[in-house]
Amino acid sequence: MVQRDAGERRIVILTGAGISKESGLDTFRCADGIWSRVNLEDVATPEGFSRNPELVHDFYNARRAKLGDPAVVPNAGHHALARMEREWPGDVLLVTQNIDDLHERAGSSNLMHMHGELNKARCAACEQVVSWTMDLSVSDACERCGSVGRMRPHVVWFGEMPLAMDVIYDALNRCDLFMSIGTSGNVYPAAGFVSHVRMYTRAHTVQLNLEPTSGSTMFAETVLGPATDVVPAYVERILSRGW
Ligand code: BJW
């Protein structure tokens, strides 16, 4: 195999709810996680939104308000990934399943929100996406087409197509290192990225997570621990001596 120097070596990083846990945001599938309190079919499917849009708005309004809490700030894991993007000489693409904006606030800019963004809303009638930091309600009107009651959170629910998949698969196909951080690997297509990378590239694959997951054996390397410890340490290792 032709070895490429560091300036040509590409990194793709996938993050999930675990990286934001120590910033005060809940994960989904931990014992005290979001799905232990609400029924995902009610709040995270298009059918749930059609049945009861007020309930879905309440759910996302509460999470948007929590994200706006001054105590919720990026942690050492987010900052380490921003450092990786700044200091690694090759391409670094950060793909997050999270709808929070903690990666941006830490300074990451080459970033794809594959499950959408909490601080945006979308008109279901005309598909216009707008910045939205207040509560959303069924009486809000679209500023572009004027439809009332069609504004929804700009998030990807079960049965909907995740965003930017062409850009993401293109990066996965060309990467030399794939890192998966703070995700249980329960939700596809993100859960399938590691097997895709192993099938189509010779990239090194590493999982950084609090605990083993059902997909841990798919990774060449697993590092267990809280994101605020293991992510800065791993980034330091990559920047000082590669993988
Ligand atoms: C720490 C830590 C610390 C804790 N430090 N770590 C079979 C094959 C392929 C697809 C499917 C299939 N069967 C069904 C599907 C489709 C479905 C799916 O995957 N279902 C599964 C339940 C099986 N997928 C979809 O529908 C997706 N779309 C799709 O496939 O499109 C193609 C298509 C469309 C239509 C027809 C046919 C094909 C869309 C998925 C949308 C997911 N949406 C959600 C909610 C919206 C956003 C929001 O409200 O926030 O996204 S669900 C929820 O799960 C959220 C998350 O982004 C996502 C992933 O969760 P994540 O991040 O992994 O969190 P957790 O809680 O699960 O894990 C946290 C981890 O962190 C744990 O492991 C902890 O240990 C760890 N941790 N503290 C480090 N301090």
Side-chain angles (χ1 to χ4, degrees):
M1 179 173 80
V2 179
Q3 282 294 331
R4 288 187 273 152
D5 69 31
E8 296 170 326
R9 300 184 90 186
R10 302 180 178 101
I11 299 173
V12 177
I13 305 160
L14 172 70
T15 62
I19 196 164
S20 295
K21 173 74 179 172
E22 292 162 272
S23 292
L25 300 180
D26 290 328
T27 62
F28 293 92
R29 295 169 185 81
C30 297
D32 59 347
I34 292 172
W35 298 154
S36 71
R37 299 193 297 273
V38 291
N39 185 350
L40 73 84
E41 281 85 8
D42 290 337
V43 298
T45 63
E47 295 79 13
F49 186 59
S50 300
R51 270 196 310 273
N52 191 345
E54 287 91 351
L55 178 80
V56 177
H57 284 314
D58 287 348
F59 173 69
Y60 284 99
N61 288 342
R63 290 176 63 196
R64 196 178 298 107
K66 176 78 181 173
L67 186 56
D69 181 335
V72 174
V73 293
N75 65 47
H78 300 102
H79 286 295
L81 297 183
R83 177 186 175 210
M84 177 92 107
E85 183 186 324
R86 276 196 312 275
E87 296 185 18
W88 181 251
D91 290 345
V92 177
L93 176 66
L94 181 51
V95 178
T96 188
Q97 298 169 85
N98 299 342
I99 62 174
D100 66 57
D101 61 354
L102 297 181
H103 284 306
E104 291 92 327
R105 286 200 243 160
S108 290
S109 58
N110 198 18
L111 171 67
M112 297 290 157
H113 279 276
M114 65 179 288
H115 290 164
E117 293 173 71
L118 190 52
N119 284 332
K120 289 184 178 172
R122 183 167 87 241
C123 174
C126 74
E127 297 297 319
Q128 169 90 336
V129 176
V130 290
S131 169
W132 202 286
T133 52
M134 308 156 298
D135 281 357
L136 254 179
S137 85
V138 292
S139 54
D140 286 313
C142 172
E143 65 184 28
R144 181 188 189 205
C145 72
S147 298
V148 175
R150 304 299 305 279
M151 296 304 289
R152 56 164 280 183
H154 182 51
V155 301
V156 178
W157 290 321
F158 286 104
E160 298 185 320
M161 196 58 78
L163 307 175
M165 294 312 296
D166 47 350
V167 177
I168 294 168
Y169 277 108
D170 185 52
L172 291 172
N173 290 337
R174 296 184 301 123
C175 74
D176 299 286
L177 171 65
F178 173 70
M179 299 170 65
S180 170
I181 303 172
T183 174
S184 63
N186 274 288
V187 176
Y188 288 85
F193 289 172
V194 61
S195 49
H196 182 94
V197 166
R198 288 188 64 149
M199 190 173 304
Y200 294 109
T201 78
R202 304 185 71 166
H204 182 59
T205 54
V206 60
Q207 176 189 49
L208 308 172
N209 206 60
L210 188 62
E211 58 197 0
T213 64
S214 57
S216 289
T217 54
M218 291 300 297
F219 292 85
E221 183 183 5
T222 293
V223 181
L224 299 181
T228 53
D229 288 349
V230 296
V231 178
Y234 200 83
V235 167
E236 176 63 33
R237 182 183 126 188
I238 295 298
L239 291 175
S240 57
R241 53 180 209 274
W243 54 89

